[in-house]
Amino acid sequence: MSLPQTPPSLPQYLQEIELSQETRDLISKLPTEKALISGNLHQYKGFWFPTRYIQGVLASQKHFQAQDTDILLATTPKSGTTWLKAILFALVNRVHYHPDPQNQDHPLLTNNSHALVPSFESNLYFKKQIPDLTSYAPPRLFSAHLPLESLPQSVKESACKVVYLCRNPKDIIVSLWHYTNRLRHRSMGTNSLEEVFQYFCRGVSPFGPFWDHVSGYWKGSLERPETVFFIKYEEMKEQPGLHLRRLAEFLGCPFSPEEEAQGVVDNILRLCSFENLSNLDVNKTGKLSKTGVEHSAFFRRGEAGDWRNCLTAEMVEQLDRITEEKLQGSGLKF
Ligand SMILES: Nc1ncnc2c1ncn2[C@@H]1O[C@H](COP(=O)(O)OS(=O)(=O)O)[C@@H](OP(=O)(O)O)[C@H]1O
């Protein structure tokens, strides 16, 4: 006798999310485009927000109360968020958790960095209007993909430090293409690179347009260098020690001569390296608790310049032209 087949349940990130009437009313009036994994993107105040996260975006704007000692990592998706979360966590907690290779109890060895540095829209405010943040001791470390214009007002009005990470858009497109195809349901097939590329070029990417996202934080970092730190993935790859020291200075926790002598900078970089993190059991087998995304999906190649293996000469030319046009006169280049 054969048993009836129960359909395998969908991973959480493919299940429909319950939206409040208020959110449904709002998105029904917004320009909408199909998202690359599931659901839609909604253009709200100039930026494209995924259906799953728009409620979290609105709740964080309404309810998050920044403290002057907070640190917020803001990023464009697929620009190395997982890496910088690990670096920031290891950096600001280095007194409690020594990053040296002998310390087998470091939280980064048993937790994915997304669990240690929760995101506003996909974790803290994902399904809760007002999450309980009392267990977070200062300096509280949070993250968001929100554009600067959409950050909660209290972040902009406080002395809270914002670290912004972005990446060459050519590598973001390649990373986004692989990531979204990995997360799509098998029955939906895959998106071609050409589709993802054209969608990105039109500005329709999660939390995009990319160029408006980076320009907002670039200007913010020029106007308020004491509260907004701007860094590119490629810079971090090329001179990690230099930029980690700059980051420590910016956050008000510079490395002491004793720490320098003990090699703390190198220990943090080794602990957070792609090689180390991607080979940990927790990152090979675990999943994010709120969205069900497998940790391993956040680790692919971890290199700068993979676009050279994927994009055609025409694509490169088209994207370079758009980037030049959009960032003209800003002093920012990719
Ligand atoms: N430790 C470390 N060092 C260097 N690079 C790393 C690291 N961890 C993740 N990655 C690479 O970052 C890309 C994923 O981007 P994000 O972490 O921003 O993704 S997400 O926005 O949080 O979904 C993705 O880039 P690609 O490899 O080009 O796809 C990851 O491989």
Side-chain angles (χ1 to χ4, degrees), residues 58-334:
L58 300 171
S60 67
Q61 288 175 336
K62 225 193 242 174
H63 301 295
F64 179 71
Q65 288 307 319
Q67 297 176 359
D68 287 343
T69 48
D70 286 346
I71 299 166
L72 179 67
L73 172 66
T75 63
T76 43
K78 310 325 292 176
S79 55
T81 318
T82 313
W83 183 26
L84 217 65
K85 280 188 180 189
I87 288 186
L88 283 171
F89 182 89
L91 174 65
V92 304
N93 292 297
R94 67 191 192 265
V95 175
H96 302 298
Y97 306 118
H98 289 265
D100 53 276
Q102 281 76 43
N103 181 7
Q104 291 304 307
D105 291 329
H106 198 288
L108 276 165
L109 299 177
T110 45
N111 296 272
N112 178 267
S113 63
H114 289 286
L116 297 172
V117 183
S119 135
F120 281 173
E121 65 276 0
S122 62
N123 186 331
L124 295 177
Y125 294 89
F126 181 46
K127 284 185 182 163
K128 279 211 171 94
Q129 278 286 311
I130 308 183
D132 180 8
L133 302 182
T134 51
S135 63
Y136 293 89
R140 304 185 306 175
L141 201 44
F142 301 125
S143 81
H145 284 319
L146 296 182
L148 185 129
E149 294 83 338
S150 313
L151 288 179
Q153 200 52 31
S154 70
V155 170
K156 299 183 214 166
E157 286 167 359
S158 70
C160 153
K161 305 252 181 191
V162 176
V163 175
Y164 181 69
L165 173 73
C166 60
R167 188 181 190 184
N168 187 319
K170 294 172 201 147
D171 275 334
I172 291 186
I173 292 174
V174 173
S175 188
L176 189 64
W177 174 51
H178 283 287
Y179 178 80
T180 51
N181 277 342
R182 175 168 172 170
L183 266 61
R184 273 166 79 87
H185 193 264
R186 245 176 301 133
S187 65
M188 294 163 66
T190 53
N191 290 309
S192 69
L193 176 57
E194 178 66 29
E195 278 172 280
V196 177
F197 178 82
Q198 292 306 342
Y199 164 94
F200 191 94
C201 286
R202 287 198 294 118
V204 189
S205 59
F207 303 90
F210 166 81
W211 302 274
D212 297 348
H213 205 286
V214 291
S215 300
Y217 283 100
W218 175 247
K219 279 194 211 121
S221 72
L222 298 177
E223 285 162 16
R224 292 185 290 128
E226 63 299 340
T227 50
V228 183
F229 182 95
F230 188 102
I231 178 97
K232 293 179 187 157
Y233 180 91
E234 294 74 21
E235 294 169 334
M236 198 66 204
K237 272 274 173 192
E238 214 170 304
Q239 292 182 291
L242 172 82
H243 295 297
L244 179 53
R245 289 182 178 90
R246 286 183 55 228
L247 201 49
E249 293 270 347
F250 169 77
L251 296 175
C253 56
F255 292 98
S256 66
E258 294 74 33
E259 287 182 310
E260 289 285 358
Q262 288 160 7
V264 176
V265 173
D266 284 344
N267 285 341
I268 291 178
L269 294 173
R270 206 168 304 126
L271 174 66
C272 302
S273 67
F274 182 86
E275 188 65 45
N276 187 49
L277 294 183
S278 62
N279 282 308
L280 295 172
D281 264 1
V282 63
N283 289 326
K284 285 183 174 169
T285 58
K287 284 181 187 173
L288 294 185
S289 64
K290 295 276 165 70
T291 58
V293 177
E294 293 173 348
H295 294 160
S296 57
F298 297 103
F299 301 93
R300 193 183 60 90
R301 288 182 75 130
E303 289 164 11
D306 188 31
W307 60 268
R308 290 191 177 85
N309 303 315
C310 309
L311 302 188
T312 63
E314 290 74 33
M315 285 172 165
V316 171
E317 199 191 313
Q318 183 181 341
L319 193 65
D320 281 348
R321 203 175 45 243
I322 299 174
T323 301
E324 218 179 291
E325 252 173 52
K326 300 267 188 194
L327 301 182
Q328 204 177 28
S330 69
L332 178 61
K333 286 196 165 63
F334 285 96

